[in-house]
Amino acid sequence: MTHLMETYKRLPVAFVRGAGSWLEDTTGKRYLDALSGIAVCGLGHAHPRVTRAIAEQAGTLLHTSNLYQVPLQERLADRLCEMSGMEKVFFGNSGAEANEAAIKIARLHGNNRHLAKPSIIVMETSFHGRTMATLTATGSRKVQAGFEPLLTGFLRAPFNDVEAISKIAQNANEVVAILVEPVQGEGGIAVPAADYLAKLRQICDDQGWFLMLDEVQTGNGRTGKFFAYQHAGIMPDVVTTAKGLGNGVPIGACLARGVAASVFGPGNHGSTFGGNPLVCAAANAVLDALEEDGLMARATVLGDRILTSLRSRLAGNNRVRDIRGAGLMIGIELAEPCGELVAQGLDAGILINVTRDNVVRLLPPLTMSDAEADLVVDKVANLIEA
Ligand SMILES: Cc1ncc(COP(=O)(O)O)c(C=O)c1O
């Protein structure tokens, strides 16, 4: 570890292989994975379709360049647009990069309209990444501290507060967009009111702003639809995703429609690796599995099963303040900080995460069996009851 920069406090375990919902460490101990590498391995580990696609593509062609046509990238973009109702896609390599593209689209649009300081409304307790623009957009002083000067051109509002956005609309004349997560993940599995996105859509329509959704964590079937906004019956102007799209290969995507889809022209943005043949082969295989294996509907069924069981098992437990979720994004908010549960989970053979100090976060694979889902509930409830 000594030659790695100390950007992560790592737990004392190393995994050597995975299969489905299970990981195995260097000693042969097995762990039930209720985190999926933070919403990345939505199809579980070593999914045969993805493994096959990567192996075949690695033996054919890894990379060319975006100087040339990349048919697998075209195919992936076609499919993403068909599944989402969006029109154009830019591919990068991570969630932060997908959001950078969204932020640049909003700014370029504002500058094209001769605004002196095009601004984007972002939310408290949000998370958008670790690059300078995305950490500025992120609603966490912990993420920002020490990296000043932050960027200008961002206004902040409380999450799930439509009134606050309306107030900004009355006073600010250089806003070009709202950037918001449909469900805040790092922010503690914060699920807004059911009509939140529709109301934001209305404000954006009235004001001529772009509605830009960060679906880096909520996307790719995790909440039960390909994108979480599809539950709300609205369309964003821009949507970003990453994590689950490659099931472990690094890929991010920024999708746009309408005016937003034609803001970028040649030379405005780019990425050496973005959307290369290898990652696109993997992502196309992920989409095959999501669609053909009915995994998005499965996320809803599994999520309901886990949420209902956790609620009944932990009912009356005075350590528990709230149990909430959207599909397979599940949060158990405790009355006090509970970071120690992560290491206790490792001892007990389950991978979980704690966010915002006191929210146990579960992001299990969409491929889990009912029995594995029940085991997640049992192991997590045991940890909380201990
Ligand atoms: C909602 C959201 N946006 C952006 C990011 C950043 O993604 P990445 O770490 O791939 O840059 C994350 C990562 O947790 C996220 O949850």
Side-chain angles (χ1 to χ4, degrees):
M1 287 289 172
T2 49
H3 291 287
L4 293 177
M5 287 195 192
E6 305 263 330
T7 53
Y8 286 94
K9 257 199 222 145
R10 292 173 197 271
L11 292 153
V13 61
F15 303 108
V16 291
R17 64 177 59 79
S21 310
W22 295 86
L23 284 167
E24 188 183 314
D25 75 8
T26 45
T27 70
K29 179 173 169 181
R30 294 175 79 235
Y31 302 78
L32 184 55
D33 187 357
L35 193 58
S36 310
I38 320 185
V40 169
C41 303
L43 307 185
H45 301 281
H47 191 282
R49 258 185 216 266
V50 181
T51 303
R52 202 179 319 119
I54 292 172
E56 278 173 14
Q57 193 57 42
T60 308
L61 186 64
L62 287 181
H63 180 85
T64 53
S65 164
N66 286 312
L67 295 174
Y68 313 108
Q69 293 183 1
V70 184
L72 282 167
Q73 190 184 121
E74 298 266 2
R75 174 149 186 269
L76 181 60
D78 286 352
R79 297 179 74 187
L80 285 172
C81 288
E82 194 182 325
M83 291 169 85
S84 65
M86 304 301 284
E87 292 167 6
K88 298 270 187 191
V89 188
F90 171 83
F91 288 106
N93 313 283
S94 66
E97 259 189 275
N99 287 332
E100 285 279 341
I103 291 164
K104 284 181 68 174
I105 287 172
R107 284 193 167 196
L108 186 54
H109 175 64
N111 280 298
N112 288 344
R113 290 163 64 213
H114 309 293
L115 298 182
K117 193 180 165 192
S119 300
I120 300 172
I121 300 175
V122 290
M123 304 304 157
E124 290 171 8
T125 63
S126 62
F127 186 83
H128 299 295
R130 299 285 192 157
T131 61
M132 281 309 305
T134 59
L135 78 81
T136 299
T138 290
S140 160
R141 275 307 294 156
K142 229 158 116 181
V143 169
Q144 296 171 339
F147 297 106
E148 296 79 6
L150 302 180
L151 272 60
T152 56
F154 290 92
L155 302 171
R156 196 158 309 276
F159 184 61
N160 194 21
D161 184 343
V162 175
E163 207 47 47
I165 307 286
S166 300
K167 273 203 194 113
I168 293 175
Q170 285 159 20
N171 300 313
N173 53 18
E174 298 208 298
V175 172
V176 284
I178 296 176
L179 174 63
V180 61
E181 296 154 86
V183 175
Q184 289 187 335
E186 305 300 309
I189 313 291
V191 185
D195 61 357
Y196 182 55
L197 290 185
K199 287 187 168 161
L200 294 186
R201 178 70 271 173
Q202 187 61 54
I203 294 174
C204 287
D205 286 345
D206 294 346
Q207 301 293 326
W209 301 343
F210 290 157
L211 178 60
M212 309 202 299
L213 300 180
D214 178 343
E215 296 234 24
V216 168
Q217 193 163 144
T218 52
N220 309 294
R222 179 142 297 274
T223 72
K225 302 259 189 202
F226 188 70
F227 282 125
Y229 69 76
Q230 292 169 319
H231 294 288
I234 58 114
M235 287 295 299
D237 299 283
V238 176
V239 58
T240 60
T241 194
K243 289 184 180 286
L245 181 56
N247 209 54
V249 301
I251 183 169
C254 175
L255 290 70
R257 62 182 264 278
V259 173
S262 54
V263 171
F264 278 161
N268 285 140
H269 199 43
S271 163
T272 294
F273 296 123
N276 81 11
L278 181 77
V279 297
C280 289
N284 274 308
V286 168
L287 299 190
D288 289 341
L290 285 176
E291 286 189 313
E292 291 169 25
D293 300 345
L295 294 178
M296 294 180 270
R298 179 73 184 146
T300 301
V301 171
L302 271 176
D304 287 348
R305 183 181 184 101
I306 293 174
L307 208 56
T308 307
S309 309
L310 280 172
R311 282 183 176 143
S312 81
R313 170 85 182 258
L314 292 169
N317 184 314
N318 54 19
R319 257 189 114 180
V320 176
R321 238 194 231 155
D322 188 30
I323 303 177
R324 54 184 176 257
L328 282 174
M329 290 180 80
I330 294 165
I332 308 161
E333 183 177 330
L334 300 193
E336 77 281 354
C338 60
E340 71 285 356
L341 292 184
V342 173
Q344 291 169 11
L346 276 184
D347 288 343
I350 184 164
L351 302 192
I352 59 166
N353 171 251
V354 168
T355 187
R356 282 186 72 76
D357 295 334
N358 67 335
V359 181
V360 176
R361 178 169 52 159
L362 306 178
L363 301 162
L366 283 56
T367 47
M368 261 192 176
S369 67
D370 287 352
E372 287 167 341
D374 294 346
L375 195 55
V376 168
V377 171
D378 193 44
K379 282 178 179 281
V380 169
N382 284 345
L383 289 173
I384 292 170
E385 286 165 351

